[in-house]
Amino acid sequence: MRALRLMMTGSTLLMAGCSFTTASGLTECETSSDCETAQVCTAGYCLPQPEGCGVVYGPASAANAIPLGATVPLSTSDGPDESEVQALNAIKLALDEINQREGVNGRPFVLHICDTRSEPNRAAEQAQWLMRERQVPMIFTSSSAQALAVSSFTVPNGVLMMTYSATSPDLAAINDQNGTTAGLVWRTAPSDVLQGRIIGDLLQGNILVNGAPLYDSISKVGISYVNDAYGQGLFGVTLGRIDATQRTVTSAQYTRNSADVSSVVQHITTSLPDVEVLIGFSEDNARIINQTATAGRNTQRWFFTDAGKDRGLFTSLGANEALVDDAYGTSPAQARPDLVYQLFAQRFRSAFNQTDPGQYSFTAHAYDAMYLVALGAAYAAGPDVNTPQAITGARIADGLALVTPGEAGTSLNYNLGTEGFAGARAAIRNGQVINVTGASGNLDFDATGEAPSEYELFRVKDGGFQTVQLIAPPTE
């Protein structure tokens, strides 16, 4: 392969506008500025980078920077994904705060970002490029289908994957113990095993809201779900939680980002459910609602899941925004009253044009994910600054295994964020078991790299999301 590249160099120099040097052999480039826009300088050659990649956040010029990767769906076929943009902003905020505190052993973090456009195959290709060309020991991912696709390549290569929004129960079944008993797949988002239980109990009146059932006298429930790992998993758990002797359930599935949701619309207009649960993303939810209204049913009651809590919903609904007023939904808890979340929310607003992170799902979980990776990297580097150890995916995972409540009195407690990171970093790099509270709540990881979470019941009101109450998920 190397010989082939040398043979091609003469013909590619002119096309790529690359430099020609002979000081240490025949090369095409010294830096990426010598290459075309969609190329990067790798080992002296101008090589193509995957579509959607190329953005770098952090001190890229730092010689000792720790590279991290992100393959996240910042856009869809409809345009920018507002929720994912804000989640990435939360990671950036945490990265800045960590770097301001000297990173790990004086080494800052740099984030290489790829936009998957919500396509699992593209996410997998980008992940392989990040591992091969950017030598990242870990990769952030978002959404269940994409996380599953990426993990198929990160795990065999010993790279840690951290996802802040993938909730499919399938992630817990991945055999990820490659070089570490702690596993290489981690998530700050709780499994939909928990959310499905809550939705089912709310629909049946087993969870009271302000002292009363959320839905009185309903007999017919409809469920529309995106036909991928996320939708299938949450649909299965929710359906299994509903007593068929008390509620009649009808359902329909659809393909994500497809303009054709006619089967869902027909399901709704034919079965006429008392409430329709939409297990999907905001742009698809808007299509279903708009087309259902066009079909003549504009009084339908809606219930949203976590992926639907996104202000992009209102943009996509346009003139039909009022049709979702007073709709309810569930999401892993965001707008928490504790200090950790409030500090995060205040700093997020200051950094990002007064945007309220509580109006989107998983911003707090993304913020926590960056801090956890930094703690894992601190353990990986080791306690001796003069003789640091390699920061690998397996060693980051070993560090994350220390982030768990120990037996009474055996772990130190820290808040993630500006007030607690330095202390947590010092403790974990010395091998101390620590218990952390993040902006998303208590991160009590189990053996599968998952942490349970409270959920919020939210209500849509006047073009925004209002937290009604926090719900502890049923244990069974």
Side-chain angles (χ1 to χ4, degrees):
M1 186 65 174
R2 186 173 184 273
L4 177 61
R5 287 175 180 166
L6 289 172
M7 292 171 61
M8 294 174 60
T9 300
S11 61
T12 56
L13 285 174
L14 293 177
M15 291 188 293
C18 298
S19 64
F20 180 86
T21 65
T22 57
S24 58
L26 194 60
T27 62
E28 292 182 329
C29 57
E30 295 179 353
T31 69
S32 293
S33 62
D34 297 326
C35 302
E36 292 182 336
T37 302
Q39 294 179 323
V40 289
C41 187
T42 303
Y45 296 97
C46 292
L47 301 177
Q49 64 186 16
E51 186 177 357
C53 295
V55 175
V56 181
Y57 187 81
S61 61
N64 64 343
I66 301 170
L68 305 177
T71 57
V72 290
L74 300 174
S75 63
T76 70
S77 57
D78 294 327
D81 186 320
E82 293 184 36
S83 185
E84 290 294 343
V85 169
Q86 300 309 330
L88 180 60
N89 281 342
I91 291 176
K92 291 178 177 178
L93 176 63
L95 185 146
D96 285 341
E97 293 171 353
I98 292 163
N99 283 349
Q100 289 164 3
R101 287 158 179 78
E102 302 303 316
V104 168
N105 289 359
R107 298 177 62 187
F109 289 96
V110 169
L111 185 64
H112 298 272
I113 303 167
C114 295
D115 175 14
T116 69
R117 285 185 62 81
S118 305
E119 299 173 10
N121 289 340
R122 179 179 293 193
E125 292 172 2
Q126 293 170 341
Q128 293 175 77
W129 179 80
L130 287 168
M131 291 186 293
R132 183 180 64 251
E133 302 297 340
R134 292 295 172 254
Q135 301 293 305
V136 298
M138 71 75 53
I139 293 177
F140 292 108
T141 64
S142 179
S143 101
S144 297
Q146 293 170 67
L148 288 167
V150 169
S151 69
S152 296
F153 296 94
T154 54
V155 171
N157 284 281
V159 171
L160 184 135
M161 186 189 76
M162 173 70 79
T163 178
Y164 51 84
S165 70
T167 55
S168 170
D170 290 349
L171 265 73
I174 295 174
N175 182 8
D176 61 344
Q177 294 182 331
N178 180 12
T180 170
T181 57
L184 292 167
V185 173
W186 290 74
R187 58 178 167 186
T188 51
S191 169
D192 275 332
V193 167
L194 305 180
Q195 184 173 199
R197 292 171 182 170
I198 291 175
I199 294 172
D201 286 357
L202 283 167
L203 292 170
Q204 294 203 142
N206 295 333
I207 295 177
L208 300 183
V209 179
N210 295 324
L214 184 61
Y215 298 107
D216 292 323
S217 304
I218 69 168
S219 60
K220 295 187 293 184
V221 173
I223 304 177
S224 301
Y225 62 97
V226 58
N227 191 24
D228 65 8
Y230 164 63
Q232 294 162 8
L234 186 49
F235 169 66
V237 177
T238 302
L239 182 64
R241 195 73 176 182
I242 298 174
D243 187 342
T245 65
Q246 298 178 14
R247 304 285 189 271
T248 299
V249 179
T250 58
S251 65
Q253 64 186 38
Y254 61 91
T255 301
R256 186 174 184 189
N257 293 327
S258 172
D260 183 10
V261 291
S262 57
S263 62
V264 176
V265 174
Q266 183 179 14
H267 141 72
I268 296 171
T269 56
T270 301
S271 59
L272 304 177
D274 297 311
V275 60
E276 181 75 16
V277 180
L278 295 180
I279 303 177
F281 299 84
S282 61
E283 62 274 11
D284 292 322
N285 290 344
R287 286 192 190 93
I288 292 169
I289 294 167
N290 284 335
Q291 292 183 34
T292 299
T294 300
R297 186 165 175 81
N298 55 16
T299 59
Q300 177 64 54
R301 285 193 291 181
W302 306 99
F303 188 99
F304 298 105
T305 59
D306 48 8
K309 189 187 178 191
D310 177 355
R311 290 190 63 87
L313 171 69
F314 308 120
T315 303
S316 299
L317 284 173
N320 285 331
E321 178 184 312
L323 296 181
V324 297
D325 217 34
D326 290 324
Y328 287 91
T330 52
S331 177
Q334 285 268 95
R336 304 174 60 83
D338 58 73
L339 176 62
V340 187
Y341 179 81
Q342 294 304 316
L343 281 172
F344 157 67
Q346 291 291 341
R347 287 186 51 75
F348 191 96
R349 290 189 186 97
S350 296
F352 302 109
N353 218 16
Q354 295 305 310
T355 300
D356 178 5
Q359 291 296 301
Y360 304 88
S361 290
F362 302 116
T363 50
H365 298 78
Y367 180 79
D368 290 345
M370 179 63 225
Y371 267 104
L372 288 167
V373 167
L375 290 176
Y379 171 85
D384 190 343
V385 176
N386 295 318
T387 56
Q389 299 186 54
I391 299 177
T392 65
R395 285 192 55 78
I396 294 174
D398 290 341
L400 290 175
L402 298 177
V403 183
T404 183
E407 296 180 7
T410 64
S411 60
L412 301 175
N413 300 317
Y414 297 96
N415 291 337
L416 291 183
T418 55
E419 64 165 342
F421 172 70
R425 177 183 58 192
I428 199 170
R429 69 183 175 190
N430 286 304
Q432 174 69 49
V433 174
I434 63 174
N435 185 23
V436 300
T437 299
S440 64
N442 294 324
L443 293 164
D444 297 341
F445 288 107
D446 62 18
T448 64
E450 299 188 25
S453 173
E454 282 187 312
Y455 281 76
E456 63 182 59
L457 175 69
F458 62 82
R459 181 187 184 190
V460 180
K461 197 67 181 175
D462 300 327
F465 301 99
Q466 300 176 352
T467 300
V468 177
Q469 69 183 51
L470 299 183
I471 301 173
T475 56
E476 59 181 25

